[in-house]
Amino acid sequence: MVKHFLDLHEIDAADLRKMIDDGIKVKKARAGKPKGTKDDDKSLEGYTLAAIFEKPSTRTRVSFDMAMRQLGGDAMVLNSGDLQLGRGETVEDTAKVLSRFVDAIMIRTDAHSKLTELAKHATIPVINGLTNDSHPCQLMADVMTFEEHKGSIKNKIIAWSGDGNNMVTSWIHAAAKFDFEFRIACPEELNPDQRALDWAREVGANVHVTRSAEEAAVGADCLVTDTWVSMGDDAGDRHNLLAPFQIDEKLMEKAASDAIFMHCLPAHREEEATAAVMDGPQSVIFDEAENRLHAQKAVLRWCLNAAS
């Protein structure tokens, strides 16, 4: 059976745990090695990934490319303008053609339906590199980063402050799968996806929505946010709506004394978070960015049945 990595809520918790543990394992295997060297583990040797980008990217593009290279495989990075998909070819036909050429597809796109249509017709694994609805690869890196700094995420408190966007959806899914409390502080106008909230309620996930950043932050083990204006969004009145949800030093003080700060980047300093927080001792944002590489190695190995 083809194993797609589309959304966290569609994957067994045991498999997600194995991927986190595998990401930590492959990261440790590279510890101390100079840049430019491949991993001793060549588990992706002979495999080729087609990485499709219909949105700009730094971390997703570089991390997937390097993940394949370091594990002995190859990656073809394709912009939408490079493909007939950008000139009217159907997603179905693109999926069927690429399935004849490569071993897996990663796509970073807008409409989530494009991702699911690709997976429906592909005979090889399809990986969600980001859609307007969710960003599960980032969450794997985030969970991995949390556990490196704070131990098991189970029963911990994660507090989100800001826009109820696609990252929030994936955090909601993760809360159920990894069994932690997730508090969401956001304005009513930018509420999380109701489908995700309904799903969380159905499965008994410990997820709460509040209109107070301070209420969400009290005693939290991690404060997390994202840019206020995502790619393709109209800024509109977002800055005024979200100003009370900025993560600054005062908000960090409401969290646990050893709390960490996370942000998936790119960031707009002095908007969603202050520079003092982003560059402060509790910030783990660059560990988080690096862990995209290692977590995605684990995702790729799981999809391709290549994990040792």
Side-chain angles (χ1 to χ4, degrees), residues 86-123:
R87 298 180 177 87
E89 184 170 40
T90 65
V91 174
E92 177 179 351
D93 288 353
T94 299
K96 290 178 178 178
V97 168
L98 289 179
S99 294
R100 302 292 183 102
F101 292 149
V102 299
D103 303 288
I105 302 167
M106 187 287 301
I107 185 167
R108 182 180 177 93
T109 187
D110 41 26
H112 198 79
S113 59
K114 198 176 295 183
L115 168 79
T116 55
E117 183 77 0
L118 194 66
K120 177 181 177 181
H121 297 287
T123 56

Side-chain angles (χ1 to χ4, degrees), residues 44 49 64 67-68 127 296-304:
L44 297 185
L49 171 73
F64 268 107
M68 291 299 296
I127 298 169
Q296 285 162 189
K297 285 181 182 179
V299 169
L300 286 161
R301 281 155 56 99
W302 178 79
C303 285
L304 293 166

Side-chain angles (χ1 to χ4, degrees), residues 54-225:
E54 296 193 317
K55 285 190 171 187
S57 171
T58 298
R59 280 149 292 276
T60 301
R61 179 185 293 264
V62 177
S63 58
F64 268 107
D65 194 352
M66 291 306 297
M68 291 299 296
R69 295 188 195 199
Q70 288 179 1
L71 289 177
D74 293 295
M76 301 173 60
V77 177
L78 304 166
N79 296 316
S80 58
D82 300 328
L83 299 169
Q84 294 299 331
L85 182 62
R87 298 180 177 87
E89 184 170 40
T90 65
V91 174
E92 177 179 351
D93 288 353
T94 299
K96 290 178 178 178
V97 168
L98 289 179
S99 294
R100 302 292 183 102
F101 292 149
V102 299
D103 303 288
I105 302 167
M106 187 287 301
I107 185 167
R108 182 180 177 93
T109 187
D110 41 26
H112 198 79
S113 59
K114 198 176 295 183
L115 168 79
T116 55
E117 183 77 0
L118 194 66
K120 177 181 177 181
H121 297 287
T123 56
I124 56 176
V126 173
I127 298 169
N128 178 358
L130 176 142
T131 70
N132 290 346
D133 286 9
S134 60
H135 198 359
C137 284
Q138 181 66 55
L139 254 293
M140 297 300 282
D142 290 352
V143 172
M144 180 177 166
T145 304
F146 182 94
E147 295 197 337
E148 283 182 327
H149 288 271
K150 300 278 292 174
S152 173
I153 199 169
K154 185 176 180 177
N155 296 326
K156 296 297 197 303
I157 301 170
I158 311 297
W160 175 276
S161 187
D163 183 12
N165 62 10
N166 55 355
M167 281 295 301
V168 171
T169 295
S170 288
W171 271 109
I172 290 170
H173 296 160
K177 294 295 182 175
F178 292 99
D179 196 16
F180 59 83
E181 180 180 349
F182 185 46
R183 303 172 183 169
I184 308 160
C186 66
E188 186 174 3
E189 296 87 344
L190 298 172
N191 223 38
D193 188 328
Q194 191 60 47
R195 294 169 300 175
L197 293 174
D198 290 344
W199 175 84
R201 191 177 302 109
E202 288 171 9
V203 300
N206 195 356
V207 173
H208 312 280
V209 178
T210 176
R211 304 306 171 203
S212 168
E214 290 76 13
E215 180 183 329
V218 171
D221 299 288
C222 174
L223 298 192
V224 59
T225 190

Side-chain angles (χ1 to χ4, degrees), residues 149 252 259-262 277-287:
H149 288 271
M252 288 298 303
I260 59 174
F261 168 75
M262 291 204 287
V277 169
M278 293 190 67
D279 299 325
Q282 293 168 284
S283 175
V284 297
I285 59 175
F286 295 111
D287 291 343

